[in-house]
Amino acid sequence: MGGHARQDRAHRGYEQTGMNYRHDYHAGNVGDVLKHVVLTLILEHLRAKPKPILVLDTHAGAGAFDLAGDAASRTGEWRGGIGRLLDADEAPAALRPYLDLVRGVREARGATLYPGSPLIAALGLRPGDRLVAVERHPDAHAALAALLARRPGVRVEAGDGYASLAALLPPPERRGLVLIDPPFEDRAEYQALATALAHAHRRFATGVFMLWYPIKDPGAVEAFHQQVIASGIARVLAAELTTRPTTTIAGLAGAGLILVNPPWRLEETLRDLLPWLAARLAEPPGAGGWWLDWLRGEA
């Protein structure tokens, strides 16, 4: 279902590039837009009920990024992502909580700052809610710990994000979101991600899981989806957003999300929102695509 993001998924005839996905170089790009829009929507849904939640961010990164800094300026990817949305007065209503949050961060902390997922989660915590943000890289961990220091309900840990799934699940709250967003240093990351999801879901079957992945190699993405299907998890929605056809470039064409136990009506919201984002972020105009479908469950 959806646009042409998936139509050439089986294609293999383009040059493959390295998979290493450094957040500071890619902050604010199309992958971040997709991830953070959906993150904001899920957190809004979870906060609609009074019971406390846990947010576990297994590969949290530095937490915030200067889009005028050396890394983000070198790629300029944010200009084709958040840079095309900040002045979008006609943006759909579902996009406004995300845009309001980004604008609020820029007003409060610096006009060129872009929030990462742990900061987005931390800003939405209510009394009794918790965020555990895990980061392995020493520099990113130090930056994250400084950014979120003394925030109520927030704990920043240094270590292996995958290992944190076994250590922290199931949470005593029995409600929450697990975000798994690894750096994709090689193709084996897809298999590690699918395996981690299967194990974590057995521990926390009622939780909401959101897994992020880059769309560079359609064959690797298809194999990843098949692994997720084979896990037997009952409710799995996949969403993808691309800014250009995967057959015409080497490198990042877009990004996708695996959503386990997605909130009620999230599918409907994304079915309205993804075409708008694909059109707005397409490069060149008309080249963007989107795809939304159930891998298992409610199709």
Side-chain angles (χ1 to χ4, degrees):
M1 300 180 185
H4 57 269
R6 194 176 172 85
Q7 65 184 11
D8 296 309
R9 174 58 55 79
H11 184 81
R12 304 292 186 273
Y14 64 91
E15 178 186 357
Q16 299 301 323
T17 61
M19 293 295 291
N20 194 4
Y21 192 92
R22 287 272 306 277
H23 276 108
D24 46 350
Y25 285 93
H26 306 290
N29 72 356
V30 60
D32 265 3
V33 167
L34 177 64
K35 174 175 59 179
H36 294 149
V37 167
V38 177
L39 172 62
T40 303
L41 292 171
I42 291 174
L43 291 174
E44 278 197 327
H45 171 85
L46 290 172
R47 292 195 299 262
K49 294 183 178 180
K51 293 183 179 180
I53 62 171
L54 167 73
V55 180
L56 171 57
D57 192 340
T58 64
H59 297 76
F65 307 93
D66 183 4
L67 299 183
D70 179 67
S73 296
R74 191 176 303 177
T75 64
E77 290 184 12
W78 67 269
R79 295 184 179 90
I82 187 61
R84 295 189 179 182
L85 300 179
L86 288 172
D87 62 349
D89 295 332
E90 78 286 10
L95 196 61
R96 291 173 193 158
Y98 161 70
L99 293 178
D100 288 346
L101 187 148
V102 173
R103 290 168 181 147
V105 167
R106 293 162 74 91
E107 290 173 4
R109 298 170 178 261
T112 61
L113 202 69
Y114 182 80
S117 54
L119 180 56
I120 291 173
L123 290 172
L125 292 182
R126 306 162 300 175
D129 291 341
R130 292 191 299 135
L131 166 66
V132 179
V134 183
E135 175 54 44
R136 180 175 63 182
H137 191 281
D139 292 343
H141 173 265
L144 181 63
L147 178 72
L148 299 182
R150 296 181 296 279
R151 294 196 68 91
V154 175
R155 187 166 89 243
V156 177
E157 294 188 354
D160 182 347
Y162 288 130
S164 71
L165 295 167
L168 298 173
L169 299 180
E173 296 89 347
R174 300 292 173 172
R175 294 184 70 236
L177 168 67
V178 179
L179 171 60
I180 311 177
D181 175 21
F184 281 89
E185 295 173 337
D186 55 53
R187 285 171 59 104
E189 194 78 76
Y190 288 103
Q191 182 173 357
L193 186 57
T195 300
L197 172 63
H199 291 161
H201 183 264
R202 284 197 287 270
R203 300 180 66 88
F204 187 30
T206 59
V208 180
F209 289 80
M210 185 168 85
L211 282 60
W212 182 95
Y213 58 89
I215 298 176
K216 287 185 175 183
D217 179 347
V221 172
E222 182 65 27
F224 169 56
H225 282 186
Q226 291 303 317
Q227 284 183 277
V228 173
I229 292 169
S231 71
I233 297 171
R235 298 183 66 241
V236 184
L237 181 67
E240 295 184 353
L241 179 65
T242 57
T243 58
R244 63 199 82 177
T246 57
T247 56
T248 60
I249 65 163
L252 189 73
L257 299 172
I258 293 292
L259 302 165
V260 175
N261 297 325
W264 180 65
R265 300 192 72 174
L266 180 61
E267 178 192 10
E268 179 182 339
T269 299
L270 292 179
R271 199 165 297 284
D272 292 336
L273 184 57
L274 289 175
W276 188 92
L277 286 170
R280 182 84 182 191
L281 304 181
E283 200 175 291
W290 64 280
W291 179 74
L292 182 70
D293 206 355
W294 291 90
L295 298 186
R296 285 182 62 93
E298 300 185 14

